[in-house]
Structures are given as C-alpha cells and as structure tokens.
Amino acid sequence: MYDIEAIAKDAKNFRQAVTQGQPYKPLYIKIKVVWTCNLRCGMCNHWRDESEDPLDVNFFKSLVGELAEMGCKKIHLTGGEATLRPNLEELIAYIRDRKIRATMTTNATRIDLKRAKSLAKAGLRKVNISIDSPEPSIHDRIRGVPGAWEKTIAGFQYLRALLKPGAMRINTVITQLNYNSLVDLPDLAADLGADQINLIAMDENTLDFQRLTAAQIIDYNQRVAPIFAEKAMAKNLIRQVKEAYPFGSTPSEIVQSLEGLYARDYYNNHPCFAPWTHALIDHVGRVSVCCMMPNKPIIGDLRQQSFKQIWTGENFAALRQTQNLPMFETCQKCDMFLENNRRLAEIVYS
C-alpha cells in the first residue's frame, strides 16, 4: 500500500501531517475501472450487483494528471475484472507517461498473447492474478465458470514472458473448498515463474461460501500451512513463515478469525494511515477510504469536485482528526496493510 522508504525519507513532513490531522500525499490510489466481471466467484458479490456504466477514459486520464501533480507514485487498477475496461491500455500508458507505477489485479482469463503484449507495451509494471487452487476443478468451482483455470494459467504465462522479474503475484482466497489443496500451490507457482503468493483469508460469508470453521482452521494450521510454508519459503514465494498462517496460530487469534477479525485488535489502539496516503476510486468517480469500505462512506464524488478538493476537504479532514478507534468497525476485519501500518507507526511515534 505505502512507499515506506519514500515516507521514511520524508518523515518530518509525514509526522507533522499525521499529528496535526493534515493531508499528506495520495501515494497509492486504487481505481475500480469497471464494476462488471466475466466470472462468477462464489466468495464475491461484484457479479451479483448491478451498477452504472463506467466513466470514459478521458475522465480517468484527467484524474491521473491531477494525481501526478499531487505526488502519486502508484495506481492499482482493478474491478470487477479490469480487462473488461475499454481503452485499458490507453489508460495504463497515460499513467506510465506521468511517471506513476501502473499495477493491476486480474483473473487473466481474457489475456491471450496479443493482449499480454499490448499490456506490457503500455507499461504495466506488476500484476496480481487470482489462482484459487493448483487443482483445475477446484479453481473452476470457486470461480463459477468451467475452463477458467486453464485460461488463467495461459494468461499468467503470457504475462510472465513479457513482464520483468518481480512483477507476478498470485492472490489466493482461502475457502472451505480449496484449503486442503494449497499444499501444492507453491509447486504450481514456481513452475509458472510467480514471484510471490498472497494468501487471503475470506473477509465475509457469501451465499455460496462460508469462512473456515474452527476445526478447519486447526486442520489447515496443523496439516497444510507447515508444508505450504516450507515449500513457499524455499522457493522465495513468501518472506516470512507467518504469511502461511493468515488465520493466526494461537487460540485467541483463531477465535478472532472465526469472526473475520483479522486485524487482531490492532486498530482498537493504533491508527490506519490510509487517510493520509491512499484512496479508492470507483468506476463512476466515487471516492472512498479503501477497498474494504467501497462507498461506505463516500468521501466525495469526482463528478462534482476535483480529487484535490476531496483530498483536502472536510470529509477526509474528519477522518484524519478522529481520535475514536477503530476508525470504522470494518477496520477490525482488515489485515491488508497491517505490517505497513506498524512500520509507519514507528516513523510517526518513534
């Protein structure tokens, strides 16, 4: 989420912004370039929802220009399925030309060799590709479309051949259906040339999938995670063994995971620095705090104000000045930027 090194070099200004409740820089912006998706993932509600058509590419190019002037360093494109966005490569090239790093999350099913070449040429720097299991049948069942695994693997390989080392990450949401198969995920990742695996504990129960039960978490921790960790560490796909244990390892952590409280009470006593460095912008220009709370609350609307007006406006100011923790109830469920927030807390309060 954050450029820790850049913030550390600018520690005085960052510390001042945080302690005085003032805006800093929107270093990392996530943009949902479309809402729709071509898959029907059981743990996701995107495809179940109806939404407006996305704004045109010129709107987003204007936004990118404004973000560049404000010091943005990274824009992450997502959806829905980002490759459904018309003029996606035009937008990526525009981001690149403004000296901002363009990254993307995709299911990769729509990426053939031609599309991979156009994305690489446009300047895509890093991609997160969703792979839920090394077993095709399990992945396809989770993704809700037969044949999805084969297309995803092909898309991954096309991009791997064209992007630089360090560019390819696998995202895997752990569900009741796939957790047993994850012992072999590092083998597949290594064969594909992946640079990292990111295991994600499922945030919310959906119509189709529930979070793991206590017995399943214990089973995963005892039988699956140690093998996954050994393989993934040996292949440099994770940096720390604890990354293989997204549900925690102690009894109290497991109890919290059963409720989806993956932040382990951290945000009850510590701030999240997203309001100083980050925002989520959806396909029609609504600005939110982060992807854990899309449009809840809406901080501003780019169809009515510029991003700078929103970033320096009353709604963001209220978030930066609040002393009530956690800032939102949802914060207690978020482990997405937990380690980064811990490191930034050291910069601010040391």
Side-chain angles (χ1 to χ4, degrees):
M1 175 181 182
Y2 313 114
D3 187 340
I4 302 293
E5 289 70 27
I7 294 175
K9 291 177 182 178
D10 194 34
K12 180 179 179 181
N13 289 326
F14 182 70
R15 187 180 299 115
Q16 180 176 317
V18 172
T19 56
Q20 296 183 7
Q22 298 298 315
Y24 187 62
K25 302 174 185 177
L27 296 176
Y28 169 36
I29 298 296
K30 181 177 285 189
I31 301 177
K32 285 184 172 288
V33 291
V34 294
W35 194 266
T36 57
C37 186
N38 61 316
L39 299 184
R40 298 292 182 266
C41 303
M43 65 286 192
C44 179
N45 287 316
H46 254 281
W47 58 273
R48 308 177 209 263
D49 299 334
E50 294 185 3
S51 188
E52 305 167 64
D53 292 334
L55 297 171
D56 67 37
V57 70
N58 290 326
F59 174 90
F60 287 105
K61 287 167 71 174
S62 177
L63 168 64
V64 169
E66 185 180 9
L67 291 171
E69 292 177 359
M70 295 176 67
C72 183
K73 300 299 182 184
K74 174 182 173 182
I75 293 177
H76 186 77
L77 306 175
T78 183
E81 170 48 41
T83 59
L84 290 169
R85 167 80 211 190
N87 309 113
L88 178 64
E89 283 84 349
E90 181 181 349
L91 180 58
I92 291 173
Y94 197 85
I95 293 169
R96 175 203 63 202
D97 292 345
R98 268 67 193 168
K99 311 301 182 185
I100 300 175
R101 190 167 179 250
T103 63
M104 181 175 72
T105 292
T106 176
N107 60 47
T109 59
R110 304 181 72 254
I111 298 176
D112 55 14
L113 179 57
K114 181 179 179 181
R115 192 73 192 274
K117 287 181 176 179
S118 68
L119 288 166
K121 183 179 179 181
L124 183 64
R125 291 281 300 276
K126 185 175 181 179
V127 62
N128 303 331
I129 295 181
S130 304
I131 300 177
D132 293 309
S133 175
E135 297 184 24
S137 61
I138 294 177
H139 176 93
D140 288 358
R141 183 176 171 190
I142 292 173
R143 293 286 150 175
V145 175
W149 189 90
E150 184 176 354
K151 291 179 180 178
T152 292
I153 297 302
F156 192 108
Q157 291 172 319
Y158 288 131
L159 286 171
R160 171 71 289 170
L162 295 165
L163 299 184
K164 294 180 179 180
M168 306 294 294
R169 184 172 83 167
I170 292 174
N171 281 350
T172 302
V173 177
I174 304 179
T175 69
Q176 294 185 9
L177 185 61
N178 69 346
Y179 83 91
N180 276 301
S181 70
L182 299 184
V183 290
D184 295 323
L185 184 61
D187 300 318
L188 173 65
D191 289 343
L192 292 173
D195 300 290
Q196 185 182 357
I197 297 176
N198 179 36
L199 295 181
I200 304 168
M202 195 171 77
D203 292 322
E204 300 287 349
N205 294 327
T206 67
L207 295 174
D208 301 297
F209 289 111
Q210 307 294 308
R211 288 192 292 264
L212 269 64
T213 65
Q216 288 170 331
I217 291 175
I218 292 170
D219 182 40
Y220 170 82
N221 281 356
Q222 292 179 347
R223 189 173 51 81
V224 178
I227 300 173
F228 176 94
E230 181 179 3
K231 289 182 177 181
M233 288 291 291
K235 300 174 189 296
N236 296 315
L237 293 166
I238 59 174
R239 295 181 297 274
Q240 302 177 70
V241 169
K242 67 179 182 179
E243 294 176 48
Y245 295 83
F247 305 103
S249 54
T250 68
S252 62
E253 289 173 339
I254 291 172
V255 169
Q256 288 176 315
S257 290
L258 291 172
E259 300 298 323
L261 302 177
Y262 302 119
R264 319 286 182 224
D265 297 326
Y266 180 83
Y267 295 118
N268 291 346
N269 304 296
H270 303 85
C272 174
F273 297 102
W276 285 270
T277 62
H278 176 60
L280 170 72
I281 300 169
D282 76 5
H283 62 302
V284 293
R286 291 172 296 205
V287 179
S288 305
V289 184
C290 69
C291 61
M292 286 294 290
M293 293 180 293
N295 305 326
K296 293 185 261 184
I298 296 175
I299 307 300
D301 192 323
L302 293 171
R303 294 167 293 187
Q304 301 169 7
Q305 296 175 287
S306 70
F307 184 83
K308 185 174 183 180
Q309 288 173 325
I310 296 170
W311 187 250
T312 59
E314 294 180 359
N315 291 338
F316 257 123
L319 295 179
R320 297 182 186 116
Q321 292 164 7
T322 183
Q323 301 300 312
N324 299 319
L325 297 175
M327 192 175 299
F328 298 99
E329 182 179 348
T330 305
C331 298
Q332 300 181 76
K333 301 179 179 182
C334 180
D335 63 348
M336 192 173 302
F337 305 120
L338 200 54
E339 292 303 316
N340 286 322
N341 277 319
R342 287 193 175 109
R343 292 176 64 188
L344 288 184
E346 293 175 1
I347 293 174
V348 173
Y349 302 115
S350 62

